[in-house]
Amino acid sequence: MFRSSVQSLHLVRLAVARATGWVWHWTGSVGDLFFDRFGRLSSIASVLWASLALAVHPGSWTYAVRNVFSKQVLFTAVDAIPAALRFGGAVGVLLIVQAAMWIDAAGVSTELVAPILWRSIVREIAPLLACLVVIGRSGIAISTELATMRANGEVEVLDSLGIDPMTFLVMPRVLAVMISVFCLAIITAVTMVVTGYAVGFVMNAIHTSWNEFYGEIAGNFELSDLTFFLSKTMVAGGFAGAICCLEGVNARGSMTDVPRIASRAGIRALTAVFAVSAILSILFYNKILVFQFG
């Protein structure tokens, strides 16, 4: 009887020790994950702040930095216009023509759906499409270029020559991505509205004239929309540019690791864009989506 009690007590102590060890291990893993995410977010915020601080300092804009900035804007914004037109046209046709068909099916007028189209295009879809184009076309290319320079030791060479990698490599690229996202979002929004109306009118899905259609959409313009559009494109573009630059500059390993680093940079930049979009929607409209249901 006594031996059985001792064995039971030993089993209980063993179970408690294992449970305590599992709890400590789980708590440590959660803590490591939290500090890892917090450290990464702090690094991104530091790069954004340093880029803006350097950008407003006239001494940062040497000829070499201006050259890097202009080439990055040319590649990220100007060369990406055809891609933005294709994405905007395709999504505009899908969105506006489908909306017009549902309007006919529901027996309501275009006036009721114009505010929804305007808000969905300007507040959400156009900025996100512009970010997708920039990240897919230029963000991954930026991280690949910087990771290759890091693997070849070019970043250390610049630093040894007294050239600040932050000023020469990161700042002009982050600013170029921010400006490019804003410009491409405007082009995407206009393309969506024009192409959607043109195709819908040809398909006889839209029965109003262009002046009436444009007037209904423009009539829903508010100053808060412009503020939200500017904030969303610039902040999301800044995060995307900072993440792609950080992944490239902080790359470790050989040239064979560059594709993996570039892919990881693209995924993290896309995740940050969606997170920034949701947070800004909450801050501006006190809800994740821009629509007020109910």
Side-chain angles (χ1 to χ4, degrees), residues 45-110:
S46 299
V47 169
L48 270 176
W49 176 256
S51 298
L52 295 176
L54 288 170
V56 298
H57 191 267
S60 303
W61 293 97
T62 61
Y63 173 78
V65 174
R66 294 199 303 271
N67 191 34
V68 171
F69 175 74
S70 59
K71 287 183 177 178
Q72 192 63 57
V73 170
L74 178 66
F75 176 70
T76 306
V78 180
D79 292 349
I81 290 177
L85 293 175
R86 289 195 297 271
F87 276 97
V91 177
V93 169
L94 292 175
L95 179 66
I96 295 179
V97 173
Q98 286 291 330
M101 289 180 174
W102 280 106
I103 289 171
D104 279 347
V108 298
S109 64
T110 310

Side-chain angles (χ1 to χ4, degrees), residues 101-259:
M101 289 180 174
W102 280 106
I103 289 171
D104 279 347
V108 298
S109 64
T110 310
E111 296 177 356
L112 296 178
V113 80
I116 299 176
L117 290 175
W118 170 254
R119 291 166 182 166
S120 60
I121 290 174
V122 174
R123 296 179 181 178
E124 296 294 339
I125 299 177
L128 286 177
L129 280 179
C131 287
L132 291 177
V133 171
V134 169
I135 292 173
R137 190 177 178 280
S138 301
I140 295 177
I142 289 174
S143 59
T144 301
E145 179 187 9
L146 296 181
T148 303
M149 294 179 66
R150 186 60 186 264
N152 291 331
E154 298 177 45
V155 177
E156 287 78 6
V157 172
L158 288 174
D159 200 15
S160 65
L161 293 175
I163 302 174
D164 182 17
M166 182 68 203
T167 306
F168 182 68
L169 297 177
V170 177
M171 184 269 287
R173 287 174 172 81
V174 171
L175 288 184
V177 170
M178 294 171 68
I179 295 172
S180 300
V181 169
F182 174 72
C183 296
L184 291 177
I186 294 175
I187 295 173
T188 303
V190 174
T191 305
M192 289 177 67
V193 173
V194 174
T195 308
Y197 172 81
V199 175
F201 188 78
V202 171
M203 293 176 62
N204 201 28
I206 299 176
H207 307 292
T208 60
S209 65
W210 166 251
N211 291 333
E212 294 175 346
F213 184 78
Y214 175 76
E216 291 168 357
I217 290 180
N220 291 279
F221 176 80
E222 298 175 358
L223 185 59
S224 61
D225 292 331
L226 178 60
T227 306
F228 181 68
F229 183 83
L230 178 63
S231 303
K232 177 174 257 186
T233 52
M234 298 297 278
V235 174
F239 268 81
I243 290 172
C244 292
C245 289
L246 264 178
E247 293 292 335
V249 171
N250 293 331
R252 296 289 185 273
S254 60
M255 289 292 293
T256 56
D257 296 319
V258 172

